Amino acid sequence: MPLPQFLNPTIPFSATDRRIVFLLGIVAFIAGYGGAQMAHTLPYARLSLGLTEGNMSVVFAIVRAVSLTAVGFSIVADRTGRKKPLLLAFSLMSLGSLLTAFVPATAAYVVAQSVVRVAVVAIAAIGMVLLAEELNPSVRAYGMGLYGLAGSLGVGTGLLLLPIAERADSAWRILFALAGLGLLAVPMLMRYLPESRAYRPGKPIGFISALRMGLGKHFWPIAGVSFFVAAFSAPAFDFVLERLINDLSWEASAARFLLIATSGLGALGLLIGGRMADRAGRRPTALVALALGLVGGVGFYLLDSGWFLAASIFIATLGATMLTPALGALRAELFPTRVRATSAAWVTNVAILGSISGFLVGGVMIDRIGLPRTVAALGAGLLIAMGLVLMLPETKGMDLVRARRSGSRTTTTAS
Protein backbone atom coordinates (compact mmCIF):
# COMPACT_ATOMS: atom_id res chain seq x y z
CA MET A 1 0.00 0.00 0.00
CA PRO A 2 1.59 3.33 -1.05
CA LEU A 3 2.27 6.00 1.54
CA PRO A 4 0.19 9.20 1.53
CA GLN A 5 1.80 11.97 -0.50
CA PHE A 6 2.70 14.03 2.56
CA LEU A 7 4.71 11.06 3.95
CA ASN A 8 6.24 10.01 0.61
CA PRO A 9 10.00 9.51 1.08
CA THR A 10 10.62 10.24 -2.63
CA ILE A 11 9.83 13.95 -2.21
CA PRO A 12 12.85 15.55 -3.95
CA PHE A 13 14.76 17.23 -1.12
CA SER A 14 18.31 18.19 -2.05
CA ALA A 15 21.19 18.25 0.44
CA THR A 16 20.75 22.04 0.71
CA ASP A 17 17.02 21.60 1.39
CA ARG A 18 17.66 19.07 4.15
CA ARG A 19 20.33 21.23 5.77
CA ILE A 20 18.24 24.39 5.99
CA VAL A 21 15.16 22.52 7.21
CA PHE A 22 17.20 20.78 9.93
CA LEU A 23 18.94 23.93 11.21
CA LEU A 24 15.85 26.13 11.11
CA GLY A 25 13.91 23.25 12.62
CA ILE A 26 16.10 23.56 15.72
CA VAL A 27 15.32 27.27 15.85
CA ALA A 28 11.61 26.61 15.38
CA PHE A 29 11.52 23.90 18.08
CA ILE A 30 13.12 26.08 20.75
CA ALA A 31 11.19 29.20 19.73
CA GLY A 32 7.97 27.17 19.68
CA TYR A 33 8.62 25.95 23.20
CA GLY A 34 9.64 29.34 24.61
CA GLY A 35 6.96 31.32 22.82
CA ALA A 36 4.15 29.05 24.00
CA GLN A 37 4.93 29.12 27.70
CA MET A 38 2.94 32.27 28.42
CA ALA A 39 -0.21 30.55 27.14
CA HIS A 40 0.60 27.15 28.63
CA THR A 41 1.23 28.49 32.12
CA LEU A 42 -1.71 30.91 32.02
CA PRO A 43 -3.89 29.03 34.58
CA TYR A 44 -0.98 28.93 37.06
CA ALA A 45 0.70 32.28 36.38
CA ARG A 46 -2.66 34.10 36.42
CA LEU A 47 -3.51 32.84 39.88
CA SER A 48 0.04 33.34 41.14
CA LEU A 49 0.04 36.96 39.94
CA GLY A 50 -3.50 37.58 41.24
CA LEU A 51 -5.10 38.42 37.87
CA THR A 52 -8.61 37.77 36.47
CA GLU A 53 -9.25 36.28 33.01
CA GLY A 54 -10.04 39.77 31.73
CA ASN A 55 -6.84 41.15 33.28
CA MET A 56 -4.81 38.41 31.65
CA SER A 57 -6.36 39.16 28.27
CA VAL A 58 -5.14 42.76 28.62
CA VAL A 59 -1.65 41.49 29.56
CA PHE A 60 -1.60 39.41 26.38
CA ALA A 61 -2.61 42.50 24.41
CA ILE A 62 0.18 44.61 25.95
CA VAL A 63 2.83 41.99 25.21
CA ARG A 64 1.70 41.75 21.62
CA ALA A 65 1.63 45.54 21.26
CA VAL A 66 5.31 45.71 22.25
CA SER A 67 6.11 42.97 19.74
CA LEU A 68 5.21 45.34 16.91
CA THR A 69 8.76 46.65 17.25
CA ALA A 70 10.07 43.33 15.89
CA VAL A 71 9.76 44.83 12.40
CA GLY A 72 13.16 46.43 13.06
CA PHE A 73 14.80 43.00 12.83
CA SER A 74 13.30 42.43 9.38
CA ILE A 75 14.32 45.87 8.12
CA VAL A 76 17.88 44.96 9.08
CA ALA A 77 17.46 41.56 7.40
CA ASP A 78 16.61 43.23 4.08
CA ARG A 79 19.62 45.53 4.35
CA THR A 80 22.37 43.33 5.80
CA GLY A 81 21.22 39.73 5.32
CA ARG A 82 18.92 37.26 7.05
CA LYS A 83 21.31 35.31 9.28
CA LYS A 84 22.57 37.85 11.85
CA PRO A 85 19.21 39.38 12.87
CA LEU A 86 17.69 35.89 13.05
CA LEU A 87 20.41 34.69 15.44
CA LEU A 88 20.12 37.87 17.52
CA ALA A 89 16.37 37.37 17.87
CA PHE A 90 16.89 33.71 18.81
CA SER A 91 19.35 34.70 21.54
CA LEU A 92 16.99 37.36 22.92
CA MET A 93 14.14 34.84 23.05
CA SER A 94 16.22 32.55 25.27
CA LEU A 95 17.39 35.41 27.49
CA GLY A 96 13.87 36.80 27.88
CA SER A 97 12.61 33.39 28.95
CA LEU A 98 15.34 33.16 31.58
CA LEU A 99 14.35 36.60 32.87
CA THR A 100 10.70 35.49 33.15
CA ALA A 101 11.77 32.67 35.42
CA PHE A 102 13.06 35.10 38.04
CA VAL A 103 10.75 38.15 37.83
CA PRO A 104 8.87 38.83 41.09
CA ALA A 105 5.83 40.86 39.97
CA THR A 106 3.35 41.42 37.15
CA ALA A 107 5.11 44.44 35.62
CA ALA A 108 8.43 42.59 35.33
CA TYR A 109 6.59 39.55 33.96
CA VAL A 110 5.09 41.71 31.21
CA VAL A 111 8.49 43.21 30.33
CA ALA A 112 10.23 39.84 30.16
CA GLN A 113 7.51 38.26 28.05
CA SER A 114 7.49 41.30 25.77
CA VAL A 115 11.16 40.60 25.01
CA VAL A 116 10.30 36.97 24.26
CA ARG A 117 7.39 37.94 22.04
CA VAL A 118 9.44 40.50 20.07
CA ALA A 119 12.07 37.82 19.45
CA VAL A 120 9.54 35.12 18.50
CA VAL A 121 7.84 37.46 16.01
CA ALA A 122 11.22 38.34 14.46
CA ILE A 123 12.13 34.65 14.20
CA ALA A 124 8.79 33.85 12.57
CA ALA A 125 9.19 36.53 9.89
CA ILE A 126 12.89 36.12 9.07
CA GLY A 127 12.97 32.34 9.49
CA MET A 128 10.20 31.86 6.94
CA VAL A 129 11.93 34.19 4.48
CA LEU A 130 15.28 32.43 4.79
CA LEU A 131 13.58 29.06 4.43
CA ALA A 132 11.62 30.15 1.35
CA GLU A 133 14.70 31.55 -0.32
CA GLU A 134 16.82 28.45 0.33
CA LEU A 135 14.29 25.73 -0.57
CA ASN A 136 13.60 24.56 -4.11
CA PRO A 137 10.18 25.70 -5.43
CA SER A 138 8.82 22.14 -5.75
CA VAL A 139 9.21 21.49 -2.00
CA ARG A 140 8.97 25.01 -0.58
CA ALA A 141 5.57 24.76 1.11
CA TYR A 142 6.27 21.20 2.28
CA GLY A 143 9.57 22.34 3.80
CA MET A 144 7.71 25.15 5.53
CA GLY A 145 5.34 22.52 6.86
CA LEU A 146 8.26 20.58 8.33
CA TYR A 147 9.58 23.81 9.83
CA GLY A 148 6.18 24.44 11.37
CA LEU A 149 6.04 20.86 12.62
CA ALA A 150 9.32 21.40 14.47
CA GLY A 151 7.76 24.45 16.13
CA SER A 152 4.69 22.40 17.04
CA LEU A 153 6.90 19.74 18.60
CA GLY A 154 8.41 22.49 20.74
CA VAL A 155 4.94 23.56 21.80
CA GLY A 156 4.02 19.95 22.53
CA THR A 157 7.15 19.47 24.60
CA GLY A 158 6.02 22.41 26.73
CA LEU A 159 2.71 20.66 27.31
CA LEU A 160 4.44 17.42 28.29
CA LEU A 161 6.50 19.32 30.85
CA LEU A 162 3.50 21.22 32.21
CA PRO A 163 3.11 18.94 35.29
CA ILE A 164 6.17 20.73 36.65
CA ALA A 165 3.98 23.82 37.07
CA GLU A 166 1.64 21.93 39.41
CA ARG A 167 4.27 21.21 42.06
CA ALA A 168 4.22 24.62 43.75
CA ASP A 169 2.75 28.11 43.34
CA SER A 170 5.83 29.40 41.49
CA ALA A 171 6.91 26.16 39.82
CA TRP A 172 5.61 27.45 36.48
CA ARG A 173 8.72 29.64 36.34
CA ILE A 174 10.89 26.53 35.81
CA LEU A 175 9.29 26.01 32.40
CA PHE A 176 10.47 29.46 31.30
CA ALA A 177 13.98 28.79 32.59
CA LEU A 178 14.26 25.69 30.39
CA ALA A 179 13.88 27.84 27.25
CA GLY A 180 17.19 29.47 28.17
CA LEU A 181 18.91 26.26 27.06
CA GLY A 182 18.45 27.60 23.54
CA LEU A 183 21.61 29.64 24.10
CA LEU A 184 23.58 26.38 23.79
CA ALA A 185 22.52 26.09 20.14
CA VAL A 186 23.78 29.56 19.14
CA PRO A 187 27.42 28.57 18.41
CA MET A 188 26.32 25.74 16.10
CA LEU A 189 23.88 27.98 14.26
CA MET A 190 26.50 30.70 13.84
CA ARG A 191 28.81 28.18 12.18
CA TYR A 192 26.47 26.15 9.99
CA LEU A 193 23.38 28.25 9.23
CA PRO A 194 23.85 29.70 5.72
CA GLU A 195 23.01 33.17 4.47
CA SER A 196 20.23 33.29 1.90
CA ARG A 197 21.23 32.51 -1.71
CA ALA A 198 18.61 34.96 -2.93
CA TYR A 199 19.81 37.88 -0.84
CA ARG A 200 22.21 40.34 -2.52
CA PRO A 201 23.35 43.65 -1.00
CA GLY A 202 21.83 46.59 -2.81
CA LYS A 203 20.21 49.97 -2.42
CA PRO A 204 17.41 49.66 0.18
CA ILE A 205 13.82 50.26 -0.88
CA GLY A 206 11.54 51.86 1.65
CA PHE A 207 8.44 49.86 2.44
CA ILE A 208 6.14 52.82 1.66
CA SER A 209 7.88 53.27 -1.68
CA ALA A 210 7.39 49.58 -2.42
CA LEU A 211 3.67 49.90 -1.71
CA ARG A 212 3.46 52.81 -4.15
CA MET A 213 5.29 50.76 -6.78
CA GLY A 214 2.49 48.18 -6.81
CA LEU A 215 3.21 45.98 -3.82
CA GLY A 216 0.02 47.15 -2.12
CA LYS A 217 -2.29 45.13 -4.36
CA HIS A 218 -0.87 41.97 -2.81
CA PHE A 219 0.07 43.29 0.62
CA TRP A 220 -3.32 44.51 1.79
CA PRO A 221 -5.30 41.30 1.06
CA ILE A 222 -2.71 39.03 2.67
CA ALA A 223 -2.38 41.44 5.60
CA GLY A 224 -6.15 41.37 6.00
CA VAL A 225 -6.17 37.58 6.07
CA SER A 226 -3.48 37.64 8.77
CA PHE A 227 -5.40 40.23 10.81
CA PHE A 228 -8.69 38.32 10.97
CA VAL A 229 -7.00 34.95 11.51
CA ALA A 230 -4.99 36.34 14.44
CA ALA A 231 -7.95 38.19 15.97
CA PHE A 232 -9.77 34.87 16.20
CA SER A 233 -6.99 32.37 16.82
CA ALA A 234 -4.97 34.26 19.46
CA PRO A 235 -7.65 34.27 22.17
CA ALA A 236 -9.15 30.99 20.94
CA PHE A 237 -5.89 29.07 21.32
CA ASP A 238 -4.43 30.87 24.32
CA PHE A 239 -7.54 30.27 26.46
CA VAL A 240 -7.89 26.55 25.70
CA LEU A 241 -6.43 25.34 29.01
CA GLU A 242 -8.18 28.13 30.88
CA ARG A 243 -11.54 26.91 29.55
CA LEU A 244 -10.87 23.26 30.29
CA ILE A 245 -9.37 23.70 33.77
CA ASN A 246 -11.12 26.74 35.25
CA ASP A 247 -14.38 26.93 33.23
CA LEU A 248 -15.25 23.26 32.70
CA SER A 249 -13.50 22.04 35.89
CA TRP A 250 -11.33 19.44 34.17
CA GLU A 251 -8.38 17.99 36.02
CA ALA A 252 -5.16 19.52 34.74
CA SER A 253 -3.79 16.11 33.73
CA ALA A 254 -6.92 15.27 31.72
CA ALA A 255 -6.95 18.68 30.02
CA ARG A 256 -3.29 18.33 29.17
CA PHE A 257 -3.75 14.82 27.74
CA LEU A 258 -6.69 15.92 25.61
CA LEU A 259 -4.75 18.87 24.22
CA ILE A 260 -1.58 16.88 23.53
CA ALA A 261 -3.38 13.97 21.85
CA THR A 262 -5.79 15.92 19.67
CA SER A 263 -3.56 18.85 18.76
CA GLY A 264 -0.70 16.42 18.13
CA LEU A 265 -2.77 14.62 15.51
CA GLY A 266 -3.97 17.94 14.13
CA ALA A 267 -0.37 19.07 13.64
CA LEU A 268 -0.19 16.66 10.70
CA GLY A 269 -1.91 19.50 8.89
CA LEU A 270 1.53 21.09 8.53
CA LEU A 271 2.58 18.22 6.26
CA ILE A 272 -0.80 17.79 4.60
CA GLY A 273 -1.12 21.53 3.98
CA GLY A 274 2.46 21.85 2.75
CA ARG A 275 2.13 19.01 0.25
CA MET A 276 -1.32 20.15 -0.84
CA ALA A 277 -0.06 23.71 -1.36
CA ASP A 278 2.84 22.45 -3.53
CA ARG A 279 0.55 20.25 -5.63
CA ALA A 280 -2.92 21.85 -5.69
CA GLY A 281 -1.90 25.45 -4.99
CA ARG A 282 -1.65 27.94 -2.16
CA ARG A 283 -5.13 29.46 -2.50
CA PRO A 284 -7.30 26.30 -2.36
CA THR A 285 -5.24 25.02 0.57
CA ALA A 286 -5.72 28.29 2.46
CA LEU A 287 -9.49 28.26 1.88
CA VAL A 288 -9.88 24.69 3.16
CA ALA A 289 -7.70 25.51 6.17
CA LEU A 290 -9.71 28.59 7.12
CA ALA A 291 -12.98 26.67 6.95
CA LEU A 292 -11.64 23.92 9.20
CA GLY A 293 -10.21 26.41 11.68
CA LEU A 294 -13.54 28.21 11.97
CA VAL A 295 -15.59 25.06 12.54
CA GLY A 296 -13.18 23.56 15.06
CA GLY A 297 -12.35 26.76 16.93
CA VAL A 298 -15.94 27.85 17.48
CA GLY A 299 -17.05 24.29 18.23
CA PHE A 300 -14.57 23.96 21.09
CA TYR A 301 -16.06 26.94 22.94
CA LEU A 302 -19.73 26.14 22.28
CA LEU A 303 -19.65 22.41 23.10
CA ASP A 304 -19.10 20.75 26.48
CA SER A 305 -18.94 17.01 25.72
CA GLY A 306 -15.46 15.50 25.90
CA TRP A 307 -15.72 13.79 22.50
CA PHE A 308 -16.93 16.94 20.79
CA LEU A 309 -14.19 18.96 22.48
CA ALA A 310 -11.58 16.48 21.25
CA ALA A 311 -12.94 16.59 17.70
CA SER A 312 -13.06 20.38 17.79
CA ILE A 313 -9.43 20.72 18.93
CA PHE A 314 -8.33 18.29 16.22
CA ILE A 315 -10.23 20.09 13.44
CA ALA A 316 -9.14 23.55 14.62
CA THR A 317 -5.50 22.49 14.85
CA LEU A 318 -5.66 20.76 11.48
CA GLY A 319 -6.99 23.94 9.88
CA ALA A 320 -4.51 26.23 11.62
CA THR A 321 -1.53 24.06 10.72
CA MET A 322 -2.65 23.58 7.10
CA LEU A 323 -2.80 27.35 6.76
CA THR A 324 0.77 27.91 7.97
CA PRO A 325 2.73 26.60 4.94
CA ALA A 326 0.20 27.85 2.39
CA LEU A 327 0.09 31.39 3.78
CA GLY A 328 3.84 31.39 4.46
CA ALA A 329 4.60 30.46 0.85
CA LEU A 330 2.20 33.10 -0.48
CA ARG A 331 3.76 35.72 1.77
CA ALA A 332 7.28 34.94 0.56
CA GLU A 333 6.43 34.55 -3.12
CA LEU A 334 4.33 37.68 -3.55
CA PHE A 335 7.05 40.12 -2.42
CA PRO A 336 10.39 40.95 -4.13
CA THR A 337 13.68 40.02 -2.47
CA ARG A 338 14.79 43.52 -1.42
CA VAL A 339 11.66 44.04 0.69
CA ARG A 340 10.67 40.42 1.35
CA ALA A 341 11.66 40.30 5.02
CA THR A 342 10.27 43.78 5.71
CA SER A 343 7.01 42.94 3.96
CA ALA A 344 6.73 39.71 5.92
CA ALA A 345 7.34 41.65 9.13
CA TRP A 346 4.63 44.19 8.34
CA VAL A 347 2.20 41.39 7.55
CA THR A 348 3.18 39.89 10.90
CA ASN A 349 2.60 43.27 12.56
CA VAL A 350 -0.87 43.45 11.08
CA ALA A 351 -1.45 39.96 12.50
CA ILE A 352 -0.22 41.20 15.86
CA LEU A 353 -2.70 44.08 15.65
CA GLY A 354 -5.32 41.44 14.95
CA SER A 355 -4.34 39.45 18.04
CA ILE A 356 -4.30 42.64 20.11
CA SER A 357 -7.78 43.46 18.83
CA GLY A 358 -8.94 39.97 19.70
CA PHE A 359 -7.55 40.19 23.23
CA LEU A 360 -8.93 43.69 23.77
CA VAL A 361 -12.34 42.47 22.65
CA GLY A 362 -11.83 39.65 25.13
CA GLY A 363 -10.88 42.12 27.86
CA VAL A 364 -14.18 43.93 27.33
CA MET A 365 -16.52 41.03 26.55
CA ILE A 366 -15.29 37.90 28.35
CA ASP A 367 -16.21 39.07 31.84
CA ARG A 368 -19.60 40.29 30.52
CA ILE A 369 -20.89 37.65 28.09
CA GLY A 370 -18.48 34.79 28.71
CA LEU A 371 -15.55 33.25 26.86
CA PRO A 372 -17.58 31.00 24.47
CA ARG A 373 -19.72 33.81 23.02
CA THR A 374 -16.72 36.10 22.68
CA VAL A 375 -14.75 33.55 20.65
CA ALA A 376 -17.78 32.77 18.48
CA ALA A 377 -18.19 36.47 17.67
CA LEU A 378 -14.53 36.76 16.68
CA GLY A 379 -14.92 33.75 14.38
CA ALA A 380 -16.93 35.83 11.90
CA GLY A 381 -13.66 37.41 10.80
CA LEU A 382 -12.53 34.14 9.21
CA LEU A 383 -15.34 34.45 6.67
CA ILE A 384 -13.89 37.81 5.61
CA ALA A 385 -10.43 36.22 5.44
CA MET A 386 -11.72 33.60 3.00
CA GLY A 387 -12.96 36.35 0.69
CA LEU A 388 -9.57 38.07 0.82
CA VAL A 389 -7.75 34.86 -0.14
CA LEU A 390 -9.71 34.86 -3.39
CA MET A 391 -8.21 38.27 -4.22
CA LEU A 392 -4.64 36.88 -4.19
CA PRO A 393 -2.91 35.33 -7.22
CA GLU A 394 -1.74 31.72 -7.25
CA THR A 395 2.06 31.57 -6.78
CA LYS A 396 2.82 27.85 -6.87
CA GLY A 397 6.18 27.12 -8.49
CA MET A 398 7.96 30.48 -8.25
CA ASP A 399 11.78 30.30 -8.28
CA LEU A 400 12.88 33.03 -5.86
CA VAL A 401 16.64 32.57 -6.34
CA ARG A 402 16.54 32.70 -10.14
CA ALA A 403 14.18 35.66 -10.01
CA ARG A 404 16.60 37.58 -7.80
CA ARG A 405 19.55 36.85 -10.08
CA SER A 406 17.72 37.94 -13.21
CA GLY A 407 16.45 41.09 -11.53
CA SER A 408 12.94 40.53 -12.78
CA ARG A 409 9.72 39.54 -11.15
CA THR A 410 9.17 35.83 -10.81
CA THR A 411 6.45 34.20 -12.81
CA THR A 412 4.60 31.00 -12.13
CA THR A 413 6.33 28.07 -13.76
CA ALA A 414 4.20 25.24 -12.43
CA SER A 415 1.55 23.81 -14.63
Side-chain angles (χ1 to χ4, degrees):
M1 180 178 177
L3 289 171
Q5 280 294 333
F6 65 91
L7 293 177
N8 194 331
T10 63
I11 293 173
F13 274 100
S14 68
T16 299
D17 295 332
R18 291 192 293 270
R19 178 188 184 191
I20 194 67
V21 169
F22 173 74
L23 291 173
L24 287 179
I26 294 173
V27 173
F29 177 87
I30 298 172
Y33 171 84
Q37 289 310 306
M38 186 177 181
H40 286 174
T41 61
L42 186 154
Y44 311 101
R46 181 178 71 79
L47 296 177
S48 177
L49 296 171
L51 301 174
T52 68
E53 288 182 345
N55 295 152
M56 203 65 183
S57 187
V58 173
V59 168
F60 274 107
I62 292 172
V63 169
R64 278 161 173 74
V66 176
S67 69
L68 292 170
T69 61
V71 69
F73 286 86
S74 292
I75 293 173
V76 172
D78 275 332
R79 299 189 178 189
T80 66
R82 321 306 194 194
K83 180 177 177 178
K84 290 181 179 179
L86 177 63
L87 292 181
L88 176 60
F90 181 74
S91 300
L92 284 175
M93 185 278 302
S94 299
L95 288 171
S97 295
L98 277 175
L99 180 61
T100 306
F102 299 101
V103 294
T106 302
Y109 172 86
V110 172
V111 171
Q113 278 304 289
S114 295
V115 172
V116 172
R117 180 57 56 177
V118 168
V120 168
V121 169
I123 291 169
I126 303 173
M128 276 291 204
V129 168
L130 178 56
L131 191 65
E133 292 175 342
E134 283 292 284
L135 288 172
N136 290 317
S138 62
V139 295
R140 181 175 295 132
Y142 187 74
M144 288 180 168
L146 291 173
Y147 172 76
L149 183 60
S152 294
L153 289 173
V155 175
T157 300
L159 285 172
L160 289 173
L161 296 176
L162 197 56
I164 294 174
E166 302 171 9
R167 296 184 177 181
D169 289 342
S170 296
W172 54 271
R173 298 176 185 274
I174 298 173
L175 298 175
F176 288 99
L178 292 175
L181 295 176
L183 292 171
L184 299 177
V186 173
M188 179 190 66
L189 294 171
M190 290 179 64
R191 180 174 181 179
Y192 294 109
L193 187 68
E195 182 54 85
S196 165
R197 292 176 296 161
Y199 175 77
R200 296 292 185 279
K203 184 179 179 180
I205 299 176
F207 180 71
I208 301 301
S209 298
L211 288 179
R212 292 172 179 168
M213 293 167 60
L215 182 67
K217 67 179 180 180
H218 296 150
F219 175 80
W220 294 115
I222 200 168
V225 172
S226 299
F227 178 91
F228 287 111
V229 168
F232 171 71
S233 63
F237 278 96
D238 283 357
F239 278 90
V240 166
L241 285 176
E242 177 71 16
R243 170 163 168 75
L244 290 173
I245 295 174
N246 290 334
D247 290 355
L248 298 180
S249 300
W250 280 48
E251 293 291 335
S253 58
R256 186 172 58 252
F257 174 79
L258 177 70
L259 188 56
I260 291 173
T262 54
S263 63
L265 288 174
L268 288 175
L270 288 160
L271 304 183
I272 297 171
R275 197 58 178 153
M276 181 177 173
D278 281 333
R279 294 175 66 85
R282 296 13 176 161
R283 292 203 313 168
T285 305
L287 289 172
V288 171
L290 287 168
L292 291 173
L294 176 60
V295 171
V298 173
F300 175 79
Y301 285 91
L302 295 182
L303 302 171
D304 295 335
S305 168
W307 288 109
F308 284 117
L309 290 172
S312 295
I313 295 174
F314 169 74
I315 293 170
T317 307
L318 183 68
T321 53
M322 284 182 65
L323 183 64
T324 297
L327 200 60
L330 268 172
R331 191 173 65 182
E333 293 161 347
L334 286 174
F335 304 134
T337 300
R338 282 194 291 172
V339 293
R340 183 169 293 128
T342 303
S343 300
W346 280 112
V347 170
T348 302
N349 272 3
V350 173
I352 292 170
L353 291 174
S355 65
I356 292 171
S357 299
F359 282 122
L360 289 177
V361 169
V364 173
M365 297 179 62
I366 290 174
D367 291 340
R368 297 183 180 181
I369 66 173
L371 187 57
R373 291 183 180 180
T374 301
V375 173
L378 291 170
L382 294 192
L383 299 176
I384 301 175
M386 294 173 73
L388 293 173
V389 167
L390 296 175
M391 297 174 60
L392 295 168
E394 181 55 63
T395 59
K396 182 183 71 171
M398 286 186 175
D399 189 335
L400 302 182
V401 175
R402 187 173 63 187
R404 175 63 184 89
R405 290 174 177 171
S406 67
S408 61
R409 290 194 62 163
T410 311
T411 57
T412 302
T413 58
S415 57

